[in-house]
């Protein structure tokens, strides 16, 4: 930069401002100095700049999930969340470092300005682990008691309530919930569902399943066959579980929705094209990703940031 300043007959600060497109330097001078820099092969040393400013201009995004053949990382969670995060951070001049739990101890993660965690894991173990990095952190999920970090998530309790009210309007009296209430988000969905049904004297049956897959949904329904449990409605905590439940019900000769109504959660793109089209609780993943990014940037800037719960919507289709 000093060499360019000597060649151009200007100060170093003018060179710096011209190369960063500062309006403090008129356009003609900016263009002249930028052309001079290109002719001499000048490139900004980002590492040196970041070291001087004590910023890496990078946010680490840790995906806390275990991909499987049935549940890949191409699903809306986490792909659509990542889209919202990347768009917001890139527009603000930040790079995105994407990794999983296994790579979270890497030096590059620890050098990041902030951290976004997708998926709290059961019993908050992931949150406690990454808190130790001491970085500004925002978590996607459900708020828990005594949280000391910022959370962005959907209104899972309201989602459960909406499904319960939908079943009651249809006259369903023997609902089943499929999912793992050990997960904070699923816990909220279940309790919204249970509390809303209780107002009408209805108590659902819980079938605990840890995997959010088609096979797990089928297995949940198959487990009822030997117990002769009356079932006329199924609320699955994910769309894949719901689709698996429908397949199992069809195999047993039960019609959906005539005999059994089924509602999933997430409203993934496949839900609308499933046969029959799946009713589901929609989460706005894109908005969620944007909010995660905005809040981590505000934390990096030292602002006072609060958690945020985003609305959900029950999309009623053919099940």
């Amino acid at each position: 930069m000093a060499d360019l300043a000597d060649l151009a007959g200007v100060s170093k600060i003018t060179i710096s401002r011209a190369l960063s497109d500062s309006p403090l330097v008129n356009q003609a001078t900016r263009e002249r100095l930028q052309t001079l820099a290109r002719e001499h092969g000048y490139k900004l040393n980002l590492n040196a700049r970041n070291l001087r400013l004590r910023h890496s201009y990078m946010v680490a995004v840790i995906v806390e999930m275990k991909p499987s053949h049935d549940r890949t990382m191409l699903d809306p969670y986490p792909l659509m969340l990542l889209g919202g995060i990347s768009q917001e951070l890139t527009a603000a001049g930040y790079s995105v470092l994407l990794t999983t739990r296994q790579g979270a101890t890497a030096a590059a993660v620890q050098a990041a300005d902030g951290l976004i965690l997708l998926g709290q894991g059961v019993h908050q173990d992931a949150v406690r682990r990454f808190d130790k990095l001491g970085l500004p952190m925002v978590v996607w999920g459900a708020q828990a008691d005594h949280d000391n970090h910022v959370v962005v998530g959907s209104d899972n309790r309201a989602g459960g309530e909406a499904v319960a009210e939908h079943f009651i309007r249809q006259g369903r009296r023997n609902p089943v919930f499929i999912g793992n209430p050990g997960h904070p988000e699923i816990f909220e969905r279940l309790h919204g569902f249970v509390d809303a049904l209780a107002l009408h004297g209805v108590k659902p049956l819980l079938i605990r399943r840890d995997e959010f897959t088609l096979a797990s949904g089928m297995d949940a329904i198959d487990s009822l066959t030997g117990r002769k449990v009356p079932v006329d409605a199924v609320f699955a905590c994910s769309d894949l579980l719901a689709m698996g439940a429908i397949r199992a019900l069809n195999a047993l000769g039960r019609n959906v929705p005539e005999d059994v109504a089924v509602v999933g959660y997430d409203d993934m793109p496949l839900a609308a094209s499933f046969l029959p089209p799946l009713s589901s609780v929609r989460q706005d993943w894109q908005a969620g990703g944007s909010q995660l990014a905005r809040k981590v940037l505000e934390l990096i800037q030292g602002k006072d940031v609060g958690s945020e719960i985003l609305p959900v919507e029950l999309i009623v289709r053919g099940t």
Side-chain angles (χ1 to χ4, degrees):
M1 193 176 291
D3 293 337
L4 286 176
D6 288 341
L7 286 169
V10 298
S11 66
K12 280 178 60 178
I13 189 63
T14 300
I15 291 289
S16 177
R17 288 171 175 167
L19 297 183
S20 62
D21 276 326
S22 170
L24 295 174
V25 180
N26 68 64
Q27 183 175 349
T29 301
R30 287 204 309 270
E31 291 175 354
R32 178 173 68 87
L33 296 179
Q34 289 170 4
T35 299
L36 183 66
R38 285 194 297 271
E39 290 173 350
H40 287 80
Y42 176 85
K43 293 182 180 179
L44 179 64
N45 188 327
L46 293 175
N47 289 333
R49 181 200 67 176
N50 294 343
L51 182 63
R52 173 170 52 84
L53 298 177
R54 297 186 179 180
H55 284 296
S56 65
Y57 288 93
M58 178 177 66
V59 171
V61 180
I62 299 175
V63 181
E64 175 71 13
M65 73 174 282
K66 185 179 180 181
S68 67
H69 175 74
D70 291 322
R71 188 175 185 238
T72 71
M73 291 185 74
L74 298 177
D75 287 341
Y77 174 86
L79 199 59
M80 291 182 70
L81 276 172
L82 290 171
I85 291 169
S86 299
Q87 182 171 323
E88 202 73 33
L89 290 178
T90 302
Y94 277 72
S95 299
V96 180
L97 173 63
L98 176 63
T99 186
T100 61
R101 181 173 187 156
Q102 290 77 10
T105 57
V109 174
Q110 298 182 40
D113 291 339
L115 174 65
I116 295 174
L117 174 60
L118 303 184
Q120 298 162 308
V122 179
H123 305 310
Q124 303 285 90
D125 61 320
V127 174
R128 288 192 292 270
R129 177 180 180 184
F130 300 127
D131 262 338
K132 296 177 182 178
L133 295 176
L135 296 172
M137 181 171 71
V138 181
V139 179
W140 172 264
Q143 288 182 279
D145 293 337
H146 311 299
D147 269 344
N148 59 355
H149 56 274
V150 177
V151 176
V152 174
S154 293
D155 195 338
N156 291 285
R157 186 176 183 85
E161 292 171 351
V163 177
E165 291 162 2
H166 172 66
F167 286 160
I168 292 297
R169 286 193 298 270
Q170 291 188 325
R172 312 289 175 166
R173 304 295 296 180
N174 299 292
V176 168
F177 180 92
I178 305 174
N180 177 7
H183 191 291
E185 291 174 88
I186 310 306
F187 178 86
E188 290 294 323
R189 291 171 201 173
L190 173 60
H191 278 264
F193 187 59
V194 169
D195 291 348
L197 289 173
L199 297 176
H200 302 274
V202 176
K203 184 176 181 180
L205 175 67
L206 168 64
I207 305 179
R208 184 185 178 109
R209 287 295 182 272
D210 295 338
E211 299 294 328
F212 298 173
T213 63
L214 283 166
S216 186
M218 295 176 68
D219 180 69
I221 296 301
D222 290 341
S223 71
L224 294 173
T225 56
R227 298 162 61 180
K228 297 182 178 179
V229 177
V231 176
D232 61 6
V234 173
F235 177 27
C237 70
S238 83
D239 286 343
L240 288 177
L241 278 171
M243 292 173 191
I246 292 171
R247 287 189 180 180
L249 288 165
N250 289 337
L252 293 170
R254 306 291 304 278
N255 292 323
V256 177
E258 290 83 357
D259 299 328
V260 184
V262 179
V263 175
Y265 210 99
D266 293 338
D267 194 32
M268 60 191 299
L270 182 59
S273 58
F274 190 75
L275 293 176
L278 178 66
S279 299
S280 183
V281 178
R282 176 179 294 168
Q283 302 191 76
D284 192 338
W285 300 109
Q286 182 79 18
S290 296
Q291 282 294 353
L292 286 164
R294 289 176 192 144
K295 288 184 181 294
V296 80
L297 290 174
E298 290 173 355
L299 286 174
I300 291 169
Q301 295 163 9
K303 296 180 180 179
D304 188 18
V305 181
S307 296
E308 183 166 349
I309 302 300
L310 302 176
V312 297
E313 180 183 5
L314 173 61
I315 307 299
V316 179
R317 296 193 179 95
T319 62

